[in-house]
Amino acid sequence: MPGGSPQTLRPFLTRAAQLYPETEIVSRTHEGMVRYDYDEYADRAAQLANALSAAGFGDGDRIGTFCWNHHRHFETYFGVPSMGAQLHTINPLLPDKHVQYIVENAQDRAIFVDASFLPKLEGAVADDPDPFDSVEQFVVMGESVPETDLDAVAYESFVEGHATEYDWPALEEERPAGLCYTSGTTGQPKGVEYTQQMLWSHTMAIQSPQGIPLADDDVMMPVVPMFHVNAWGLPFSATAGGAKHVYPGPQPEPADLARLIEEEGVTVTAGVPTVWLGLMEYVKENDVDLSTLDRLVVGGSAAPEAMIRFFDDHGVELVHAWGMTETSPVGSVAHLKSDLEDADYETQLEKRSKQGLITPGLEYRVIDDDGNDVPQDGEAFGELHIRGPWVTTEYFARPEATEEEFEDGYLKTGDVVSVDEDGYIKIVDRAKDVIKSGGEWISSQELENALMAHDAVAEAAVIGVPHERWQERPLALVVPVDGADTSALDDELRDHILAEYPKWWVPDAVVTIEEVPKTATGKFNKQALRAEYGDESLVEGRVPDDAAPES
Ligand code: AMP
């Protein structure tokens, strides 16, 4: 083989354990703070691999996780793929029916679940017509198992007594190592498979100066959930660089994040804007020492300019990045080119609030409605197409979705962008009809169908409207059936949606209209609706705090 050995994840761990055996992995858990070092981490990853083998799992098996960010979840990150199995991180915030579909589609053989997500998982299993047939073992992330109908064992009992050495197999680069589902505009979520080579090349790319490089003097805290594209790949790259890891655990509040930054000396952290808005408010009202914090990575939704200014004023560099589940995820980072270093602050800010410069190793094109490449003048716009070693070329077991969303080896991102003369990509619109709220997707079309299934509703269109905290929230525009009693329609529709969807899917407001405007081809004219109703003031902030999709 050219190069001697394939591009796989395991050497990152071996190196960290060899060179930085005493560097820490720290985790906030229900059981309190846990801390150990790379030496022990490597032992525990091997124990997990042995435990999985002993339970009959291995080669090519898909192993699901349903967890927040903590050390045990991180143990699955190397333990599962390095033994030849495939780590399938499942998003526990999704509606039950999506979770059911995902487990069925992936045919997971085991699921590692947090105790706090156990009721949610039990609910999804209980009303599944085919209750998780493929799953033979549930493993609860902790020392004991709460009362449950599921056939579950505690993680610590599962790994206990197993050898701390594992005879790691030589894996080929094409071996599937990871799997993550992303929400589609229509239909079911789509799986994106990550091979060993994709995760390796993504790790190396984000370790470059044009990425989010992490070194042995860094302390990295991913706030972005580990069920979102491997926490943007940071647990892998932090290990590659020998950095200390800090996992903020279940549903961290701004106060938890501030405390972890101060106490653990966090240098780099990453998450969606909603998380950082929370931290900003907290910092304004409390005395927080951010002096160790060097970089704060923002992605998933656009970083507001005011946020960049705020963190600049506090001596923290806000690094704005763009990516997708399909791109492992990092595709561009808004670093300043060297010739902009002397530019005035406002010019720099304008560049830094764009989605950034393509990451080395990737290629892109911007295609307009007529199929032509658009000029890079910062004005013309079109759909962003992207390809490269860590960009998927297909959806897992979904040939029809693959057919639609790829062209000439490029992924059609559904993001409408312009590119300026310096090469900075800026998202100006979204071609896909979805709403991203607090980092989580809500399918407008699925909500419309659910609303239209209500007896009092003739037609319903759902649009995303800007929201200060969640970036976007759904607004429902409803045409009632003739003669329907609409006096309590708002509440009725809320209950109707809640019967099938989590709280954060409930539209913030329902507006009754006479007719949904249509395009020439008879589709809902969302553009017209957005122009008329896409006004922030309509959103009443009805999402309760405990419904937070925050991620
Ligand atoms: P996901 O696959 O869930 O990670 O979502 C990917 C999508 O999130 C992209 O196609 C964009 O629409 C959006 N997105 C990701 N990063 C950014 C960003 N920095 N600014 C604006 N939108 C973003």
Side-chain angles (χ1 to χ4, degrees):
M1 168 191 320
S5 68
Q7 298 175 352
T8 63
L9 291 172
R10 192 182 44 79
F12 296 137
L13 172 58
T14 312
R15 178 179 183 273
Q18 272 169 351
L19 300 188
Y20 309 107
E22 289 170 12
T23 295
E24 281 183 316
I25 285 126
V26 180
S27 177
R28 174 179 165 265
T29 74
H30 288 300
E31 298 147 345
M33 292 298 286
V34 172
R35 71 180 62 235
Y36 57 54
D37 54 26
Y38 274 124
D39 192 32
E40 192 172 338
Y41 174 80
D43 286 355
R44 284 177 59 91
Q47 280 186 300
L48 171 61
N50 279 310
L52 286 166
S53 298
F57 305 120
D59 238 12
D61 286 333
R62 277 179 284 280
I63 306 294
T65 61
F66 208 70
C67 305
W68 292 112
N69 294 10
H70 48 68
H71 65 295
R72 295 188 182 101
H73 202 178
F74 178 44
E75 286 164 16
T76 68
Y77 267 47
F78 278 96
V80 171
S82 298
M83 68 167 309
Q86 186 176 5
L87 181 70
H88 172 203
T89 50
I90 307 167
N91 181 346
L93 306 177
L94 292 178
D96 284 355
K97 58 180 169 181
H98 290 190
V99 174
Q100 290 160 352
Y101 169 82
I102 284 171
V103 173
E104 165 71 24
N105 190 245
Q107 289 288 294
D108 295 311
R109 288 196 62 202
I111 295 182
F112 289 72
V113 51
D114 279 357
S116 57
F117 281 133
L118 202 53
K120 162 93 184 168
L121 193 63
E122 281 173 328
V125 174
D127 67 18
D128 189 359
D130 221 5
F132 287 42
D133 270 0
S134 61
V135 183
E136 293 154 47
Q137 182 72 65
F138 294 93
V139 182
V140 178
M141 291 300 211
E143 284 164 11
S144 58
V145 181
E147 211 175 288
T148 173
D149 296 336
L150 301 178
D151 180 11
V153 59
Y155 184 88
E156 293 304 326
S157 330
F158 187 65
V159 299
E160 194 183 3
H162 285 285
T164 53
E165 297 283 322
Y166 188 80
D167 187 13
W168 301 108
L171 298 172
E172 65 282 19
E173 293 181 358
E174 297 72 30
R175 165 77 55 143
L179 179 65
C180 187
Y181 282 71
T182 179
S183 304
T185 314
T186 53
Q188 300 287 10
K190 297 165 294 186
V192 176
E193 209 165 46
Y194 307 116
T195 62
Q196 289 277 347
Q197 173 276 325
M198 286 168 75
L199 295 181
W200 187 93
S201 58
H202 179 263
T203 303
M204 296 305 279
I206 63 170
Q207 278 295 78
S208 79
Q210 288 84 5
I212 309 155
L214 298 170
D216 59 5
D217 57 353
D218 275 314
V219 180
M220 184 278 309
M221 177 169 78
V223 183
V224 48
M226 295 172 81
F227 51 77
H228 273 315
V229 213
N230 303 314
W232 299 347
L234 295 169
F236 295 127
S237 62
T239 309
K244 170 175 162 182
H245 300 225
V246 177
Y247 291 101
Q251 267 178 315
E253 295 292 327
D256 299 313
L257 299 178
R259 184 179 55 78
L260 288 169
I261 291 169
E262 287 181 339
E263 289 178 3
E264 302 301 332
V266 171
T267 64
V268 181
T269 181
V272 297
T274 302
V275 167
W276 305 127
L277 283 167
L279 185 69
M280 279 165 65
E281 290 314 307
Y282 187 81
V283 167
K284 281 181 202 160
E285 280 156 28
N286 296 275
D287 186 17
V288 181
D289 179 5
L290 295 177
S291 59
T292 61
L293 195 60
D294 195 29
R295 285 168 287 161
L296 182 129
V297 183
V298 180
S301 296
E305 234 180 64
M307 187 179 279
I308 308 184
R309 277 182 207 275
F310 178 89
F311 284 103
D312 277 345
D313 290 346
H314 288 76
V316 180
E317 183 194 355
L318 187 149
V319 180
H320 187 202
W322 169 90
M324 298 175 69
T325 307
E326 289 88 335
T327 63
S328 296
V330 179
S332 67
V333 183
H335 286 301
L336 276 186
K337 285 171 115 176
S338 59
D339 57 2
L340 286 163
E341 259 154 32
D342 295 329
D344 60 88
Y345 185 65
E346 296 304 315
T347 307
Q348 292 186 344
L349 208 56
E350 192 212 322
K351 299 290 182 188
R352 290 169 64 202
S353 57
K354 294 188 178 188
Q355 277 65 27
L357 303 168
I358 191 83
T359 305
L362 300 182
E363 292 174 284
Y364 71 100
R365 62 187 192 188
V366 181
I367 303 291
D368 67 14
D369 284 347
D370 301 324
N372 301 318
D373 287 288
V374 309
Q376 297 205 356
D377 56 8
E379 297 287 331
F381 56 84
E383 188 183 16
L384 177 68
H385 293 192
I386 189 162
R387 72 177 175 196
W390 58 93
V391 178
T392 193
T393 53
E394 60 184 6
Y395 290 110
F396 180 74
R398 287 285 294 279
E400 82 301 341
T402 302
E403 177 78 17
E404 270 174 33
E405 298 188 36
F406 295 85
E407 194 177 278
D408 308 333
Y410 283 92
L411 164 74
K412 300 198 272 184
T413 65
D415 287 328
V416 178
V417 305
S418 65
V419 182
D420 67 22
E421 40 305 314
D422 289 310
Y424 286 84
I425 300 166
K426 178 180 161 74
I427 298 188
V428 295
D429 198 3
R430 200 185 279 145
K432 40 198 179 194
D433 191 10
V434 273
I435 297 161
K436 203 169 203 188
S437 184
E440 302 289 339
W441 290 116
I442 296 171
S443 159
S444 329
Q445 293 188 21
E446 202 173 326
L447 263 187
E448 286 162 6
N449 291 338
L451 290 166
M452 287 190 281
H454 189 278
D455 288 346
V457 176
E459 275 187 329
V462 174
I463 57 169
V465 293
H467 188 277
E468 198 182 334
R469 177 161 179 213
W470 304 108
Q471 276 73 60
E472 275 184 292
R473 289 296 304 154
L475 168 74
L477 302 147
V478 167
V479 182
V481 293
D482 278 345
D485 173 8
T486 56
S487 53
L489 190 58
D490 199 351
D491 287 340
E492 274 175 38
L493 290 179
R494 177 184 169 78
D495 292 343
H496 175 70
I497 296 297
L498 277 176
E500 273 195 88
Y501 293 95
K503 278 185 253 183
W504 57 276
W505 273 58
V506 176
D508 270 29
V510 174
V511 176
T512 307
I513 57 175
E514 273 174 22
E515 194 185 350
V516 176
K518 312 279 182 338
T519 64
T521 54
K523 290 188 182 158
F524 288 174
N525 189 341
K526 295 286 179 84
Q527 245 172 346
L529 287 171
R530 273 197 285 266
E532 192 165 351
Y533 298 98
D535 174 357
E536 206 164 348
S537 61
L538 280 174
V539 176
E540 286 150 12
R542 211 170 72 169
V543 201
D545 274 358
D546 63 346
E550 207 156 288
S551 55

